[in-house]
Amino acid sequence: GAVVSQHPSWVICKSGTSVKIECRSLDFQATTMFWYRQFPKQSLMLMATSNEGSKATYEQGVEKDKFLINHASLTLSTLTVTSAHPEDSSFYICSAPTGADLSYEQYFGPGTRLTVT
Amino acid sequence: SQQGEEDPQALSIQEGENATMNCSYKTSINNLQWYRQNSGRGLVHLILIRSNEREKHSGRLRVTLDTSKKSSSLLITASRAADTASYFCATADTGANSKLTFGKGITLSVRP
């Protein structure tokens, strides 16, 4: 099956710094990728849809200036958490659909655990 | 916003038993999917059932869909300790390129 990787798998940063998380589709091209946030023992919350070559689409309530998304190639999307604060600590997961229809099967990355101290 | 609501929230069974998990949703859907998540990891797609399908099988998995009741069930037969994980249902609303909405998840523990 299709493989999606994320880097880093975990990161600890100090409050006020920025952190970049990479999401790569390893064996397929993804014009669209999704970024989710998950709190412990809770569901996934869609943050934004990353579109190759164009601006990301953010869900209501998600600050686009705080969570910068760049989808510069067909295999790479990055999420940068700017001026991170402890409340940004969470598990961030990306996914990509392998088909043209975004509503079908998605392949998920292994996630990135962010801890802001 | 969350659409799918799974129940029970947690399930503990003995290895070899069957596990049944349910999901209810609120809107009209294009398809419903089930995913598994091992602790601290990403999600793995298990099975997709379209709105015009009523039942689907994949190995030890059986999924049913009742669009009149807006509900789905996931049955895992002959459970194994390795099935211990969280299970999420996700729905795709009708309409082109609809995004997935995930439920809160069910924590399944299979005791060896």
Side-chain angles (χ1 to χ4, degrees):
Chain A
V3 178
V4 175
S5 71
Q6 274 184 249
H7 178 82
S9 55
W10 60 270
V11 57
I12 302 172
C13 71
K14 292 187 177 180
S15 189
T17 61
S18 295
V19 174
K20 180 185 284 188
I21 302 170
E22 293 185 348
C23 177
R24 292 182 186 272
S25 56
L26 297 186
D27 50 1
F28 67 101
Q29 293 183 333
T31 56
T32 301
M33 290 182 175
F34 298 101
W35 285 97
Y36 296 85
R37 183 173 180 175
Q38 185 180 32
F39 291 102
K41 298 189 184 300
Q42 293 192 27
S43 186
L44 281 74
M45 182 191 81
L46 179 64
M47 298 175 65
T49 303
S50 173
N51 304 298
E52 189 268 335
S54 64
K55 291 183 179 180
T57 305
Y58 290 84
E59 296 299 302
Q60 193 171 12
V62 178
E63 299 176 59
K64 62 180 180 181
D65 294 331
K66 179 160 187 66
F67 298 99
L68 300 178
I69 291 173
N70 188 312
H71 195 147
S73 77
L74 288 172
T75 58
L76 174 64
S77 174
T78 60
L79 168 68
T80 301
V81 183
T82 63
S83 186
H85 291 278
E87 57 265 29
D88 299 323
S89 298
S90 190
F91 192 56
Y92 293 87
I93 312 176
C94 69
S95 74
T98 56
D101 191 330
L102 304 182
S103 69
Y104 279 75
E105 178 180 355
Q106 292 185 25
Y107 290 94
F108 282 81
T112 297
R113 173 77 57 194
L114 170 63
T115 301
V116 184
T117 60
Chain B
S1 61
Q2 277 180 345
Q3 150 103 293
E5 292 285 338
E6 296 98 335
D7 82 89
Q9 290 188 340
L11 181 61
S12 180
I13 59 173
Q14 199 72 36
E15 202 166 29
E17 294 179 339
N18 295 341
T20 300
M21 291 167 269
N22 302 300
C23 169
S24 60
Y25 57 92
K26 297 175 183 176
T27 64
S28 295
I29 61 171
N30 182 351
N31 67 71
L32 184 145
Q33 303 174 38
W34 285 90
Y35 288 82
R36 184 186 74 220
Q37 183 181 34
N38 289 89
S39 181
R41 304 292 293 171
L43 278 71
V44 174
H45 182 267
L46 295 177
I47 197 165
L48 179 153
I49 187 165
R50 292 180 173 82
S51 60
N52 61 354
E53 296 176 314
R54 292 296 166 259
E55 186 172 316
K56 207 163 182 180
H57 297 255
S58 177
R60 293 184 296 113
L61 305 180
R62 172 177 169 256
V63 170
T64 62
L65 179 65
D66 187 334
T67 52
S68 66
K69 295 181 180 178
K70 291 187 167 53
S71 67
S72 172
S73 68
L74 171 67
L75 169 68
I76 303 175
T77 60
S79 64
R80 305 166 182 169
D83 295 328
T84 295
S86 293
Y87 292 82
F88 293 88
C89 69
T91 53
D93 289 350
T94 54
N97 290 326
S98 171
K99 291 170 280 191
L100 295 183
T101 303
F102 287 83
K104 294 180 180 179
I106 298 171
T107 301
L108 173 65
S109 298
V110 182
R111 303 186 300 273

